[in-house]
Amino acid sequence: MCGFLFYHKKNRNISLKEIKSIKKATNLILHRGPDYKRNLTFKKNFLFHCRLSIQDINPRSHQPMIKKFKKENYNLVYNGEIYNFKNIRKKIQNKISFKTKSDTEVLLNSYILNNYKNNLLDEYSGMFSFLVLKKSKNGEIFFARDRFGQKPLYYYDDSEKIIICSEIKPLISLSKNKLEVDKNVCKEYFLRNNYFYQRETFYKNIFQVLPGECGVIKKNQIYLKKYYLNLTSGKKKSFNKGNFFNQFKKNIINHTIADKKFAISLSSGLDSQSIAHVIFSHTKVNYDVMSYTIDFEGSNFEFEDARNFTKSYDKQIKKILVTKEFLINNFENFVIKNEGPIGGIMLVGMFKLAEQTKKDGYDILFSGFGLDECLGSYKSMRKSFLSGDKFSLIDSTNVDNSKYFNKSDDFRINEIIKKYFFKYRIPRSTHFMDRISMASSVEMRIPFLDHEFVEYATSLKQDFKKVDKYLVREYMKKNSKHSKDWMRSKQHVTHPQNQWLRNGKFSNFVNDIIKENYLYKNYEFLNKKKVLSAWNKFKNNETHNGYTFWQLINLFYLKKISKKIIKDNRIWI
């Protein structure tokens, strides 16, 4: 896992002064690749890469990777993992030479042979963002991002230059304009809790290459194209338990390919425990695979259940304890690292978990995110399906015309799942998982977002009236060494976010923020009187959920950060 930056000057060569500024900006992403860094400078182009060595850790696989083929020079910068790279290599090794054992060279060689034809990206199973600069008369520049956006890619484009980068911070540093928060994106976040899915970021004039997109730069213009359009369509398939069990296990095992040690982010839930079961039972490594579980001061939330699970396999586990003091002292720093709002208190714990993982000598961390979306197990997904598509008339009558549609239930389920994958959930989850892990130079792997598994799982018939994730529960009931009621439906674990917001040190911390005039001067759409009235009701237990106030402290720090002048790159580290 790595980080990279590409700088393209449109109408003249890059000056020595600009090169100095670019190199300084690259320091802002060194946490993504602490093992090696290098840059290449051309007349109008600059390439930088920093490497976290995972596959073929030999220096021969450092980047930017350069290849000469048929008198053409190709330069690649790449961030990610191609899990099926060995199979791709077998297909092409008689057509082009190899000098390494890395997935990086497989990606570059397959690009050279395909010349970025439409089917190029269809070959790759994994998570990735990359850019190829071909040194020729046309100066061909091609870039792409994986199907579900597990690896980030951002761009900035003005009259003088185009910059493409793995994170936002260097783009802010190198942009012409002052850093400004995009208030329209902030409104969307505050009103609908939708964020990290759209083209726009929380910062004006900085945009993301969307999941499943590729692009080229031609004549100083960026052209983007969607190469991955649909998850699944048509009629749902009946499932075969044995086939599902095999696919499920195989997918997780495929994600264990690595030349570095891996660990597991383990909760009390089915998703991460099913990954742990497969890794504990079906992989052979010469080290202890450590599990880490988040818990919060004041009570045991998930650790006891997770510890009992690991005991069944005779494996080690560590508790990652999150305290109010830790949350207060690190909130602003985590907003900076995340380049946007923190979704909840559990994600604060994930930052600490990834940091401990790295300290203990593990470079890879497994996560169970994505299974709920694949198998439609969120209550909100089931509710959307069972309630139909309704609208209200002026007299408050609810009208449901979906029952007259010449479409099957399969169609409606597909539409619900697509929204979760491309708008409501997955774009947020992948953003969080990348920033959380890479802040500590750890690679996060999410097996349930493998596109072949996703397409297979979402193609199966879902009965939203039965217990959620029925097939996975059956698998664990049949195979797990740990004894518990695997067929019990999904239970929401209540973390202390509302409790901490309402009482104690963290509540006092929030109270000071939401009373500051600074918040309301910079977000004119907020009504201070109404916010404070709602805050008092929440504090007095008149309302249940305090997520609104969690959002407000995120907005506060987003704006605070935007007002700082970047005199020293350390502000972002």
Side-chain angles (χ1 to χ4, degrees):
M1 206 55 58
C2 311
F4 66 81
L5 181 144
F6 169 73
Y7 189 103
H8 171 72
K9 198 72 178 178
K10 290 183 176 181
N11 300 313
R12 61 175 175 81
N13 294 346
I14 303 173
S15 68
L16 291 175
K17 184 178 178 181
E18 285 172 315
I19 290 172
K20 186 177 179 181
S21 296
I22 298 167
K23 287 181 177 179
K24 185 177 180 182
T26 62
N27 291 331
L28 302 172
I29 56 170
L30 289 181
H31 54 278
R32 300 190 67 91
D35 297 333
Y36 181 80
K37 65 175 182 176
R38 184 170 68 189
N39 60 263
L40 297 175
T41 305
F42 305 98
K43 289 181 179 180
K44 291 187 176 182
N45 297 307
F46 180 97
L47 279 172
F48 169 82
H49 187 272
C50 54
R51 185 184 184 197
L52 173 62
S53 303
I54 299 292
Q55 305 282 6
D56 190 19
I57 59 179
N58 191 292
R60 65 193 172 196
S61 293
H62 288 337
Q63 298 181 51
M65 185 170 280
I66 304 165
K67 181 102 177 181
K68 189 169 184 178
F69 186 76
K70 293 184 178 179
K71 298 182 180 180
E72 299 278 12
N73 289 308
Y74 298 84
N75 304 273
L76 168 70
V77 283
Y78 156 57
N79 168 31
E81 297 292 345
I82 307 296
Y83 298 115
N84 65 333
F85 77 95
K86 291 183 178 180
N87 291 333
I88 298 173
R89 177 173 176 143
K90 287 178 183 178
K91 293 179 183 179
I92 64 174
Q93 61 188 3
N94 293 328
K95 301 175 184 177
I96 192 167
S97 64
F98 281 86
K99 295 180 179 178
T100 77
K101 296 180 180 179
S102 68
D103 58 335
T104 304
E105 189 177 19
V106 170
L107 193 160
L108 180 56
N109 282 354
S110 65
Y111 172 87
I112 292 170
L113 293 175
N114 279 275
N115 196 28
Y116 71 90
K117 293 177 183 175
N118 290 336
N119 65 346
L120 167 70
L121 299 166
D122 295 340
E123 290 280 326
Y124 305 144
S125 176
M127 52 180 178
F128 54 82
S129 61
F130 68 89
L131 182 144
V132 179
L133 170 64
K134 180 180 177 183
K135 294 304 294 174
S136 62
K137 288 183 180 180
N138 297 327
E140 178 184 298
I141 301 162
F142 176 84
F143 55 91
R145 189 179 180 197
D146 68 76
R147 297 164 182 84
F148 301 127
Q150 293 185 65
K151 291 295 103 189
L153 198 58
Y154 298 94
Y155 64 92
Y156 172 85
D157 184 5
D158 65 27
S159 60
E160 298 177 357
K161 59 187 173 292
I162 293 171
I163 315 170
I164 298 176
C165 192
S166 299
E167 290 193 7
I168 293 172
K169 294 182 278 291
L171 302 184
I172 292 168
S173 176
L174 294 168
S175 65
K176 269 198 324 187
N177 305 312
K178 290 182 180 179
L179 167 62
E180 290 288 340
V181 166
D182 190 322
K183 291 183 182 177
N184 289 326
V185 176
C186 291
K187 282 183 184 178
E188 176 78 1
Y189 161 65
F190 189 66
L191 291 174
R192 300 177 183 87
N193 202 37
N194 290 334
Y195 54 114
F196 297 144
Y197 75 93
Q198 64 269 68
R199 177 82 59 200
E200 296 78 14
T201 69
F202 279 92
Y203 301 98
K204 283 185 178 179
N205 303 314
I206 294 175
F207 306 96
Q208 68 167 323
V209 177
L210 294 175
E213 276 190 341
C214 59
V216 295
I217 298 174
K218 290 183 177 180
K219 297 180 179 179
N220 296 326
Q221 295 290 322
I222 294 176
Y223 297 91
L224 294 166
K225 177 183 177 181
K226 196 81 172 170
Y227 72 87
Y228 188 72
L229 299 172
N230 292 308
L231 283 175
T232 182
S233 59
K235 195 173 181 179
K236 295 286 187 182
K237 303 172 186 174
S238 297
F239 58 80
N240 176 281
K241 284 185 184 179
N243 188 42
F244 178 85
F245 293 168
N246 289 335
Q247 293 273 11
F248 183 82
K249 182 173 71 173
K250 179 183 175 184
N251 174 51
I252 295 169
I253 293 171
N254 286 346
H255 281 70
T256 62
I257 184 170
D259 294 329
K260 289 287 191 73
K261 292 164 63 176
F262 51 78
I264 302 168
S265 171
L266 189 68
S267 71
S268 61
L270 172 71
D271 307 13
S272 62
Q273 290 190 3
S274 65
I275 288 176
H277 161 75
V278 173
I279 289 175
F280 292 159
S281 305
H282 300 287
T283 60
K284 293 182 179 180
V285 292
N286 59 357
Y287 56 87
D288 291 325
V289 177
M290 180 67 74
S291 296
Y292 298 88
T293 299
I294 298 166
D295 234 336
F296 300 89
E297 71 173 326
S299 183
N300 287 317
F301 288 86
E302 297 195 69
F303 181 71
E304 288 304 317
D305 188 287
R307 181 166 62 179
N308 290 335
F309 175 84
T310 55
K311 275 184 180 179
S312 301
Y313 293 85
D314 195 25
K315 299 295 181 180
Q316 297 184 59
I317 187 170
K318 277 191 178 182
K319 179 193 284 191
I320 305 300
L321 186 66
V322 179
T323 65
K324 294 174 186 176
E325 202 72 34
F326 177 81
L327 179 57
I328 292 167
N329 292 340
N330 289 280
F331 203 101
E332 180 177 8
N333 190 34
F334 290 153
V335 174
I336 292 171
K337 289 179 177 180
N338 194 48
E339 300 180 329
I342 304 298
I345 197 171
M346 195 68 184
L347 294 170
V348 173
M350 286 297 295
F351 273 107
K352 191 172 185 180
L353 188 155
E355 184 179 13
Q356 187 61 51
T357 300
K358 188 69 175 184
K359 286 180 180 177
D360 290 345
Y362 297 92
D363 288 296
I364 303 165
L365 188 61
F366 276 83
S367 166
F369 278 102
L371 190 60
D372 286 310
E373 289 81 4
C374 285
L375 298 177
S377 61
Y378 285 119
K379 286 183 179 178
S380 55
M381 297 176 84
R382 291 165 170 250
K383 185 178 179 181
S384 295
F385 172 74
L386 296 172
S387 63
D389 297 303
K390 297 177 182 179
F391 60 88
S392 297
L393 300 178
I394 197 169
D395 63 356
S396 299
T397 301
N398 289 324
V399 179
D400 180 11
N401 287 335
S402 63
K403 56 192 173 187
Y404 308 118
F405 245 50
N406 189 24
K407 298 283 186 181
S408 66
D409 286 349
D410 292 346
F411 171 82
R412 290 175 57 209
I413 294 170
N414 288 339
E415 292 304 303
I416 292 167
I417 290 175
K418 284 177 188 176
K419 285 179 181 178
Y420 273 71
F421 266 91
F422 296 115
K423 184 174 181 179
Y424 296 141
R425 294 285 303 190
I426 294 302
R428 290 207 300 266
S429 295
T430 54
H431 178 102
F432 291 140
M433 291 301 99
D434 175 81
R435 295 310 190 284
I436 286 167
S437 59
M438 294 310 297
S440 295
S441 308
V442 171
E443 175 179 291
M444 185 75 77
R445 293 191 176 182
I446 313 175
F448 299 135
L449 289 187
D450 176 84
H451 81 279
E452 291 182 350
F453 178 78
V454 169
E455 290 168 5
Y456 170 72
T458 56
S459 73
L460 301 176
K461 279 190 175 294
Q462 304 284 342
D463 187 345
F464 281 179
K465 296 174 184 177
K466 283 186 177 181
V467 65
D468 63 288
K469 293 177 281 197
Y470 175 79
L471 287 171
V472 182
R473 296 185 184 281
E474 281 275 308
Y475 175 81
M476 291 298 283
K477 181 181 178 181
K478 180 179 179 181
N479 296 289
S480 177
K481 293 181 179 180
H482 183 54
S483 178
K484 74 175 185 180
D485 184 5
W486 290 107
M487 301 310 294
R488 186 184 180 195
S489 61
K490 182 180 178 69
Q491 302 295 307
H492 176 68
V493 178
T494 304
H495 298 118
Q497 183 167 305
N498 282 326
Q499 178 187 337
W500 288 11
L501 281 165
R502 188 173 277 121
N503 301 298
K505 288 182 182 179
F506 185 65
S507 182
N508 295 335
F509 168 77
V510 176
N511 185 70
D512 291 342
I513 288 174
I514 67 170
K515 285 185 176 179
E516 273 203 38
N517 287 328
Y518 178 88
L519 183 65
Y520 307 96
K521 285 180 180 178
N522 287 287
Y523 296 102
E524 299 86 354
F525 56 85
L526 292 174
N527 184 304
K528 183 176 181 180
K529 185 177 179 180
K530 291 180 178 179
V531 168
L532 293 180
S533 175
W535 174 242
N536 288 329
K537 287 180 180 179
F538 172 72
K539 293 270 289 177
N540 293 326
N541 288 305
E542 294 175 44
T543 54
H544 170 65
N545 198 295
Y547 184 69
T548 295
F549 310 108
W550 182 271
Q551 289 180 295
L552 288 172
I553 54 177
N554 273 287
L555 289 175
F556 176 84
Y557 280 118
L558 277 172
K559 193 64 185 176
K560 275 284 186 184
I561 294 163
S562 75
K563 289 294 183 183
K564 291 184 177 180
I565 299 171
I566 306 176
K567 292 180 179 178
D568 188 318
N569 287 339
R570 286 176 297 176
I571 187 176
W572 294 103
I573 296 172

